[in-house]
Amino acid sequence: MDLRVAKTKNAIINSFLSIRAKKPLEKITVRELCQMAMINKSTFYSHYGDIYELSDSLENEVVMSVIDSMDHPEYIVENSGEFTRELLFGYLSQDHLIQILFSDNRSSLLVSKIERALKELVFEKYPELRLDPVSNMGLTFAIYGGYYAYAQGKNQGRDPGLVVSVLQELTEKVGECLMPKNDTYV
């Protein structure tokens, strides 16, 4: 990528994050963003269709960073407690951006995007689980339940290490009930 293009994209992203940290997405204008980034509107539109496309792109990058931080996303099937630990540490590694990008009415999008991406990884390795309703419920429970319990513990000022440890143990126990009892997955 051309250095000027990279600098322009960085200016757009940094300006967006700075504004987004203070305002809901719906209140951000391209004009305001361009002023802060010191670019023309046409320059912005050569990179993004609108503010929502920019936000969605950054959200997807955060989701992929969370997933990429996991050494073994397939553990959701094979070792649900360890999966939960890796996922929650992935959230912690991106906490600052998560707080900015997934605030206000976009808060539920994080877990939804994580679930979609993780399920695709799992279904690539275990295609037979795609149509198994019990496994799908178990996957959803591990992803949503782990995240919301983690967020609640964090909001209550609990020690993140303790929160992760407790949720790891809980997910292991629930995973034993919800995931298939088949040697194929162990």
Side-chain angles (χ1 to χ4, degrees):
M1 180 184 302
D2 181 301
L3 184 59
R4 290 174 298 170
V5 172
K7 284 184 177 183
T8 299
K9 278 193 98 156
N10 283 338
I12 291 170
I13 290 168
N14 291 334
S15 296
F16 174 78
L17 291 172
S18 177
I19 296 168
R20 181 70 177 98
K22 299 174 192 134
K23 292 173 107 172
L25 182 61
E26 302 76 31
K27 302 280 185 185
I28 300 173
T29 64
V30 171
R31 185 173 148 277
E32 171 185 31
L33 177 70
C34 290
Q35 285 176 338
M36 180 176 265
M38 296 188 289
I39 61 169
N40 294 318
K41 284 172 76 173
S42 61
T43 302
F44 173 84
Y45 287 116
S46 70
H47 294 281
Y48 301 99
D50 58 22
I51 291 291
Y52 294 96
E53 183 181 316
L54 168 59
S55 184
D56 190 54
S57 171
L58 294 174
E59 290 167 2
N60 291 337
E61 285 180 30
V62 167
V63 166
M64 290 316 299
S65 291
V66 168
I67 291 171
D68 289 344
S69 75
M70 299 175 70
D71 293 327
H72 303 283
E74 73 278 3
Y75 277 3
I76 193 168
V77 174
E78 300 166 7
N79 183 344
S80 56
E82 183 61 24
F83 162 81
T84 296
R85 190 186 71 71
E86 285 189 9
L87 180 60
L88 297 180
F89 280 121
Y91 289 136
L92 277 169
S93 74
Q94 297 296 312
D95 190 57
H96 179 69
L97 288 173
I98 288 171
Q99 296 306 315
I100 293 171
L101 293 170
F102 294 98
S103 61
D104 307 320
N105 66 353
R106 298 188 73 79
S107 61
S108 65
L109 290 177
L110 173 65
V111 186
S112 172
K113 289 181 177 201
I114 291 280
E115 178 190 32
R116 246 188 329 272
L118 282 173
K119 278 188 172 182
E120 279 312 306
L121 286 174
V122 169
F123 297 150
E124 282 176 23
K125 186 165 182 175
Y126 304 106
E128 65 278 9
L129 296 181
R130 187 178 296 274
L131 299 177
D132 178 10
V134 174
S135 294
N136 269 277
M137 282 187 274
L139 295 169
T140 297
F141 182 86
I143 295 165
Y144 276 82
Y147 176 75
Y148 285 113
Y150 155 79
Q152 186 69 20
K154 193 173 111 207
N155 289 343
Q156 292 174 349
R158 304 260 193 284
D159 170 44
L162 175 65
V163 171
V164 169
S165 175
V166 168
L167 292 175
Q168 180 178 0
E169 190 175 324
L170 286 172
T171 305
E172 254 171 49
K173 290 179 181 176
V174 171
E176 292 170 10
C177 298
L178 292 176
M179 296 314 289
K181 308 285 188 278
N182 185 328
D183 290 339
T184 305
Y185 307 115
V186 182

